[in-house]
């Protein structure tokens, strides 16, 4: 246990107060950075993908930082990028090294990879509970390099965004949370059932042991240990919590044929249960991945040349396997840069984006990941980027997951949030009003799928679309309709909201 009374991680300057969870988290995960620094010029350079309109907006974003596999970033509630890292150093919003942000992850491996670490999910950022300016960066590297790719040290670094005129600064760096034999990367997090605290996880190499830490407003407690699932050797796959926090998946499958593990998760006590192991034919690749659908009912696994879907509601998950894509022999730009299937991430637009495992300028996309089988619409190399990148995806937990209502841990009443967002009355805003019929709506995040309906002044339905779970922006196109007043209605069961739009 790391206590604020006994350790140097003490944050005496925290003022505990309730902050509306939904309002606090808007925008935090809407920016993705990837690619190489701008010094070489195109086709190198950095790509920024943001989701503030409800769709993926892709643009060249020339910044000095190189990214390989390791990447974490976070934005403020208005969507402004606060800071980001490639595992080697931390950059602020000016793209310069953050104050005291150099020298994270001290070891020979990091020193030899100043262009960014090659470890998936090796960094993760969480807001310190009950604050709006403090952040924890959890991070690790590969201390055993070049003999092996596992690590011995798991760190936390604390960032205060009130420092350096609002650009932020590191106040505690490389604080040692754990010294053990740890699988590199796959740092994952899930919000506690009380809606405030966090569970943060990593894995002990060559064992079936998970390390768990509980992040509260005034301490980081743990590690707590649990033995469950497969013995995991040194690997570089992906581990993910489902968006609703009820499931956890860990996938890597090459030399030791470790396969896929799926557990149920208790957000109150942080324990896994109901283990399911799925044997999958080994695939010779460095970066294998997995990701959940936004409704948390389906799991996707990416195995270099094949992609599979599993039904988590099935009584036999392994037998529910459906092949949703087989590599189509596409190269980007030329051989040997195959657009294979690698790591994946569920985006704020409800789609899953999949990297290629090589330095390419394409990504794959699953347009409807809540749909069974080929109806999920897996489009190979369907996303063209303005510059090359190498398997980069940010490691974003679900910042929007709230308390587990009715659970034994549902003990924190957030009266401010209830006052700002009363039940069954939705806040909806038009980001540009009046407009030409092409506009975006902003709304509160919901854990279930919603419905958008747009009507003209005569009550005729002119536009209808689903609203993805956990999303907060939706793009609308009624440009083919005449000018005038339209009404946008959004509903999530009994919770309904509406807003008036003027098309000029």
């Amino acid at each position: 246990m790391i206590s604020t009374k006994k350790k140097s991680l003490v944050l005496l300057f925290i003022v505990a107060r309730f902050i509306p969870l939904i309002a606090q988290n808007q925008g935090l995960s809407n920016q993705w950075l990837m690619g190489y620094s701008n010094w070489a010029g195109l086709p190198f350079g950095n790509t920024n993908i943001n989701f503030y309109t409800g769709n993926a907006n892709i643009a060249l974003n020339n910044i000095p930082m190189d990214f390989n596999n390791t990447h974490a970033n976070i934005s403020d509630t208005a969507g402004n990028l606060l800071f980001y890292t490639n595992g080697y150093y931390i950059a602020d919003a000016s793209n310069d090294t953050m104050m005291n942000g150099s020298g994270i992850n001290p070891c020979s491996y990091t020193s030899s990879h100043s262009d960014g670490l090659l470890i998936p999910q090796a960094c993760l950022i969480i807001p310190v509970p009950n604050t709006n300016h403090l952040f924890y960066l959890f991070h690790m590297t590969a201390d055993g390099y070049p003999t092996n790719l596992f690590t011995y040290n798991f760190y936390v670094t604390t960032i205060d965004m009130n420092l350096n005129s609002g650009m932020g600064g590191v106040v505690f760096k490389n604080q040692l949370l754990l010294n053990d034999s740890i699988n590199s990367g796959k740092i994952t997090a899930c919000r506690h059932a009380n809606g405030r605290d966090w569970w943060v996880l990593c894995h002990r190499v060559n064992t079936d042991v998970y390390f768990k830490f509980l992040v509260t407003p005034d301490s980081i407690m743990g590690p707590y240990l649990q033995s469950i699932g497969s013995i995991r050797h040194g690997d570089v796959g992906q581990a993910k919590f489902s968006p609703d926090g009820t499931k956890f998946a860990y996938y890597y499958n090459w030399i030791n044929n470790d396969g896929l593990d799926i557990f149920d998760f208790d957000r109150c006590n942080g324990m896994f249960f109901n283990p399911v192991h799925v044997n999958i034919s080994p695939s010779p690749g460095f970066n294998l991945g997995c990701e959940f659908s936004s409704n948390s009912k389906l799991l996707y696994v990416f195995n270099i040349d094949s992609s599979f879907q599993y039904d988590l509601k099935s009584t036999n998950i392994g037998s529910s396997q459906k092949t949703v894509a087989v590599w189509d022999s596409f190269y980007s730009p030329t051989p040997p840069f195959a657009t294979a299937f690698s790591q994946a991430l569920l985006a704020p637009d409800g789609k899953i984006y999949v990297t290629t495992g090589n330095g390419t300028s394409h990504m794959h996309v699953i347009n409807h990941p809540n749909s069974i089988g080929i109806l999920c619409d897996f489009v190979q190399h369907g996303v063209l980027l303005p510059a090359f990148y190498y398997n980069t995806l940010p490691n974003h937990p679900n910042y929007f997951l709230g308390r587990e209502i009715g659970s034994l841990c549902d003990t924190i009443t957030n009266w401010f949030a209830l006052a700002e967002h009363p039940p069954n009355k939705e806040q909806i805003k038009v980001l540009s009003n009046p407009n030409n019929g092409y506009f975006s709506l902003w709304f509160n995040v919901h854990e279930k799928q919603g419905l958008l309906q747009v009507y003209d002044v005569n009550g005729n339905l002119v536009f209808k679309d689903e609203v993805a779970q956990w999303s907060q922006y939706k793009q609308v196109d009624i440009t083919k309709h005449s000018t005038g007043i339209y009404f946008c209605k959004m509903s999530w069961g009994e919770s309904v909201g509406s807003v008036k739009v003027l098309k000029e």
Side-chain angles (χ1 to χ4, degrees), residues 154-186:
F154 184 37
Y155 301 104
V156 64
T157 290
T158 307
I159 293 99
D160 183 354
M161 290 307 302
N162 284 346
L163 299 179
N164 196 22
S165 302
M167 298 304 293
V170 172
V171 290
F172 301 110
K173 182 164 56 179
N174 297 326
Q175 295 268 298
L176 186 62
L177 286 173
L178 178 65
N179 176 247
D180 207 308
S181 296
I182 309 164
N183 250 315
S184 288
K186 295 169 292 300

Side-chain angles (χ1 to χ4, degrees), residues 111-310:
S111 298
S112 64
H113 287 77
S114 59
D115 59 345
L117 306 189
L118 284 162
I119 307 170
Q121 296 177 283
C123 294
L124 183 142
I125 301 167
I126 288 176
V128 176
N130 278 357
T131 77
N132 58 8
H133 66 284
L134 297 173
F135 297 86
Y136 287 139
L137 170 64
F138 295 90
H139 53 100
M140 62 173 67
T141 179
D143 300 291
Y145 176 84
T147 306
N148 58 66
L149 285 178
F150 61 82
T151 190
Y152 302 111
N153 299 301
F154 184 37
Y155 301 104
V156 64
T157 290
T158 307
I159 293 99
D160 183 354
M161 290 307 302
N162 284 346
L163 299 179
N164 196 22
S165 302
M167 298 304 293
V170 172
V171 290
F172 301 110
K173 182 164 56 179
N174 297 326
Q175 295 268 298
L176 186 62
L177 286 173
L178 178 65
N179 176 247
D180 207 308
S181 296
I182 309 164
N183 250 315
S184 288
K186 295 169 292 300
I187 304 173
T188 51
C190 181
R191 194 181 290 278
H192 189 279
N194 63 18
R196 180 197 65 191
D197 302 337
W198 288 88
W199 294 103
V200 177
L201 278 69
C202 59
H203 191 273
R204 177 185 279 163
V205 73
N206 296 324
T207 73
D208 61 355
V209 174
Y210 288 86
F211 297 108
K212 305 172 187 178
F213 296 86
L214 179 60
V215 182
T216 70
D218 58 3
S219 64
I220 300 177
M221 298 184 288
Y224 307 104
L225 279 63
Q226 183 182 4
S227 295
I228 191 171
S230 303
I231 294 176
R232 292 285 172 181
H233 305 86
D235 59 34
V236 284
Q238 275 189 306
K240 294 292 184 74
F241 280 100
S242 61
D244 65 4
T246 63
K247 298 282 187 180
F248 178 84
Y250 188 122
Y251 181 63
Y252 187 71
N253 197 40
W254 185 12
I255 297 174
N256 297 294
N257 192 21
D258 295 333
L260 171 67
D261 278 324
I262 305 170
F263 312 128
D264 291 336
F265 184 64
D266 188 324
R267 292 169 57 203
C268 273
N269 59 27
M271 297 297 288
F272 294 128
F273 60 103
N274 292 338
V276 173
H277 182 79
V278 180
N279 289 314
I280 301 174
S281 298
S283 183
F286 182 73
N287 295 306
L288 309 179
C290 63
E291 183 58 287
F292 290 90
S293 60
S294 61
N295 63 8
S296 301
K297 296 179 180 179
L298 299 173
L299 175 68
Y300 292 84
V301 167
F302 306 94
N303 209 34
I304 303 300
D305 60 358
S306 300
S307 294
F308 307 115
Q309 181 196 79
Y310 296 91

